[in-house]
Amino acid sequence: MLGNFSYHNPTKLYFGDDSLKYLRDELKNYGQNVLLVYGGGSIKKTGLYDEIVGILAECAKNVAEVSGVMPNPTVEKLREGVAVARENKVDFILAVGGGSVCDYSKAVSVSVNCSDDPWDKYYIRFEEPDCEIVPVGCVLTMAGTGSEMNGGAVITNHEAKLKIGHVFGDDVMPKFSILNPRYTMTLPKYQMCAGIYDIMNHICEQYFSGEDDNTSDYISEGLMRGLITASKKAVADPQDYEARSNIMWTATWALNTLVSRGKTTDWMVHMLGQAVGAYTDATHGMTLAAVSLAYYRYIMPYGLKKFARFATQVWGISPGSKSDEQLAKEGLDAMESWMKQIGLVMNIKDLGATEEMIEGIADATLILKGGYKVLDRDEIVNILRQSM
Ligand code: NZQ
Ligand code: ZN
C-alpha cells in the first residue's frame, strides 16, 4: 500500500540535441560571478568547453574555473574548489561533465559559505546545510548517476578509506540541467557500459524492497525494459542517437526520487560498491556490477516473490508451471547474461581488490535496513568473497 509522501523535484530539464541554446536564458537568472567546473579534459577535446566559454562571454559573466575534477572526487579537491569559489565570490556554479563533476559542484555549493569542514559536517555528522547555498546548473556529458536531477553528492576520502554519499534536499538540487544525448557519444565504451549498469542498479535498489502492489514498481519495470533494449543497441552501435537518448532519459528517471515513492528501498549494492570504490578507486558502475550477483543471489530467498516477478516482468521469462524459486534463479541468470553481453566487470578482483582488503572493505560498508535482508558483517564478508 502506498503510504504518505510528498513529491517535488525543482530541477528544470532541457533535453535534446539543441538543448544547450537554453543556457543563455538560464544564466540571466543568476549573478555575474560564475564558477565553471569540469573534469580531466574531455570537454576540451570535444569542443564543448569552447562553446560554453563563448556563451558565458556573451552573457558578460566573470568566470573562474575549477578543472581536473576526477572520477570519484576527493575531499582534497572539494576543499580546493571551495577556496576558489570563495576567492572569486561566486554567485553560480556551472558543472559541465558527468556525475563526478555534478556531485562535486553540489558539495562545493553547500560548503562555500560554511565555516565547518565539509567532510566532517556533511559526510561524517550527516548534517544539513545551515548556510547560504550557491545555486548549481549542469550540462551533462555522461549518463548514469542521475546527479543531474537529484541532491546526491558522493565524495571520497582516500586517507580514511571511505566513499560516502550525502543526499541533500531540494535547495541543493541543480536549478537546471541540460541533457544532450549527443554529448555522451564520445564516452569510451567502458564508461558508457558502467553508466548503463549504474542506471540498472539504481532502479533495482528501489525495486527490491516491499511486498505490496506499488505503482513505483510498475514504473521501474518499464524503465528497466527500455534500458535493456537501448543498452543492446548502444553497445552494437554507440552512435545510435535513439538508444543513447533513451539511456540518458532513463538515467534521470532512475534516480530523481520518483520510483522511490512509497518504497523502503535497499541500496546495499551501492554500499558494497562504494566501499570497494574507497579501496580501489574503480569506476562506480563497475563496482556495482562486480558485487551485484553475489548480493542478489544471497538475498533472493528473502524476497523470492519479487525476484520471480523481476524474471517475468523485466526479463520476459515465461512462468509456465515454474516455482518462484526457479523463476527467480532464471531472472538473475538472465541479468548475468546481459551484464556479460554488454561487457561489465563481473568481479572485484578485476577492479584491483585483494583478499587482504576484504576485511577493510567490509568495515567501510554501511549497513542499511530497507531491503529484504538486513546483513550482518559476516554476511558482508561472504558476499565480498563471493564477488572475488
Ligand atoms: O574527466 P573527463 O575528462 O571529463 O572524463 C570523464 C571521466 O574520466 C569521462 N567522460 C565524461 N563525459 C565524457 C567523458 N569522456 C568522453 N566524452 C564524454 N562525453 O568519463 C569518466 C567518468 O566520469 P564520471 O563523472 O566520474 O562518471 P559518472 O557520471 O559515472 O559519475 C561517477 C560519480 O558519481 C557518483 C559516483 O559514486 C562517482 O563518484 N554517484 C552519484 C550519484 C548521485 N548523485 O546520486 C549516485 C550514483 O550512485 C553515484 O554514486
Ligand atoms: Zn550509482
Side-chain angles (χ1 to χ4, degrees):
M1 190 191 80
L2 287 169
N4 303 299
F5 59 79
S6 66
Y7 182 71
H8 174 240
N9 193 312
T11 304
K12 182 166 187 180
L13 299 177
Y14 297 95
F15 190 92
D17 63 3
D18 68 355
S19 49
L20 190 63
K21 71 179 184 206
Y22 298 101
L23 182 58
R24 283 177 192 81
D25 296 338
E26 283 295 339
L27 287 172
K28 286 181 198 145
N29 300 326
Y30 304 97
Q32 279 309 104
N33 299 335
V34 174
L35 183 66
L36 174 61
V37 179
Y38 56 98
S42 70
I43 66 162
K44 289 203 168 163
K45 282 191 210 133
T46 60
L48 182 58
Y49 172 86
D50 290 337
E51 264 188 89
I52 302 256
V53 167
I55 294 169
L56 288 164
E58 266 175 50
C59 299
K61 300 289 181 181
N62 307 316
V63 182
E65 291 192 9
V66 173
S67 62
V69 175
M70 60 292 276
N72 312 320
T74 63
V75 66
E76 291 80 12
K77 188 73 186 172
L78 171 58
R79 292 186 185 120
E80 178 197 318
V82 171
V84 176
R86 282 180 187 159
E87 265 163 44
N88 292 279
K89 298 192 169 42
V90 303
D91 304 306
F92 183 69
I93 302 175
L94 183 62
V96 185
S100 293
V101 170
C102 298
D103 278 23
Y104 174 85
S105 298
K106 290 179 231 169
V108 171
S109 82
V110 293
S111 307
V112 178
N113 298 310
C114 168
S115 51
D116 291 359
D117 179 73
W119 176 259
D120 292 342
K121 182 176 173 69
Y122 298 124
Y123 296 91
I124 298 296
R125 301 200 301 271
F126 273 95
E127 291 172 12
E128 293 311 315
D130 44 18
C131 58
E132 198 189 326
I133 297 162
V134 181
V136 173
C138 302
V139 179
L140 198 66
T141 64
M142 149 123 196
T145 64
S147 188
E148 65 276 13
M149 204 185 190
N150 70 36
V154 183
I155 296 293
T156 298
N157 185 328
H158 286 298
E159 201 188 331
K161 289 217 177 332
L162 290 172
K163 180 177 183 185
I164 298 180
H166 188 129
V167 181
F168 292 99
D170 287 8
D171 294 349
V172 184
M173 286 156 100
K175 300 295 173 206
F176 64 87
S177 284
I178 289 175
L179 276 55
N180 182 343
R182 222 167 275 289
Y183 296 158
T184 68
M185 288 186 178
T186 53
L187 273 171
K189 185 170 176 244
Y190 187 86
Q191 294 295 342
M192 177 183 81
C193 294
I196 289 168
Y197 191 72
D198 195 18
I199 303 166
M200 182 70 179
N201 193 251
H202 291 160
I203 306 171
C204 287
E205 297 276 30
Q206 297 164 94
Y207 182 76
F208 287 121
S209 64
E211 278 155 17
D212 52 339
D213 188 36
N214 187 319
T215 301
S216 292
D217 289 335
Y218 294 92
I219 300 172
S220 289
E221 287 163 354
L223 290 172
M224 286 190 272
R225 286 202 299 271
L227 178 69
I228 293 161
T229 303
S231 68
K232 292 178 187 166
K233 291 182 183 168
V235 167
D237 176 12
Q239 301 306 307
D240 182 333
Y241 182 85
E242 186 177 71
R244 301 303 290 264
S245 61
N246 282 326
I247 290 168
M248 196 171 210
W249 194 225
T250 307
T252 303
W253 287 93
L255 197 51
N256 68 358
T257 73
L258 176 76
V259 299
S260 66
R261 294 308 88 180
K263 305 282 304 176
T264 53
T265 74
D266 183 345
W267 293 107
M268 275 315 295
V269 169
H270 271 67
M271 295 306 103
L272 289 157
Q274 279 176 202
V276 170
Y279 273 73
T280 61
D281 206 26
T283 298
H284 171 67
M286 294 305 185
T287 64
L288 307 177
V291 299
S292 280
L293 286 164
Y295 174 70
Y296 287 131
R297 287 189 170 125
Y298 182 72
I299 65 156
M300 190 186 88
Y302 303 94
L304 201 54
K305 284 216 170 312
K306 192 53 145 312
F307 280 94
R309 175 173 162 174
F310 178 64
T312 59
Q313 302 307 306
V314 177
W315 297 100
I317 293 168
S318 161
S321 54
K322 290 169 194 162
S323 65
D324 281 349
E325 195 180 357
Q326 184 60 28
L327 281 172
K329 277 190 186 141
E330 287 185 24
L332 289 178
D333 289 349
M335 182 160 87
E336 181 172 9
S337 305
W338 168 74
M339 290 169 76
K340 288 180 175 159
Q341 185 189 344
I342 67 169
L344 298 171
V345 178
M346 303 300 285
N347 62 69
I348 59 175
K349 195 160 35 126
D350 289 347
L351 296 173
T354 61
E355 284 290 343
E356 295 70 50
M357 289 179 186
I358 298 269
E359 296 289 332
I361 296 174
D363 289 338
T365 304
L366 297 180
I367 296 174
L368 302 179
K369 298 193 169 123
Y372 290 121
K373 169 87 178 78
V374 182
L375 300 181
D376 62 31
R377 194 180 173 285
D378 289 345
E379 291 170 314
I380 288 176
V381 169
N382 284 338
I383 289 165
L384 290 168
R385 292 230 151 89
Q386 292 289 316
S387 307
M388 285 294 279

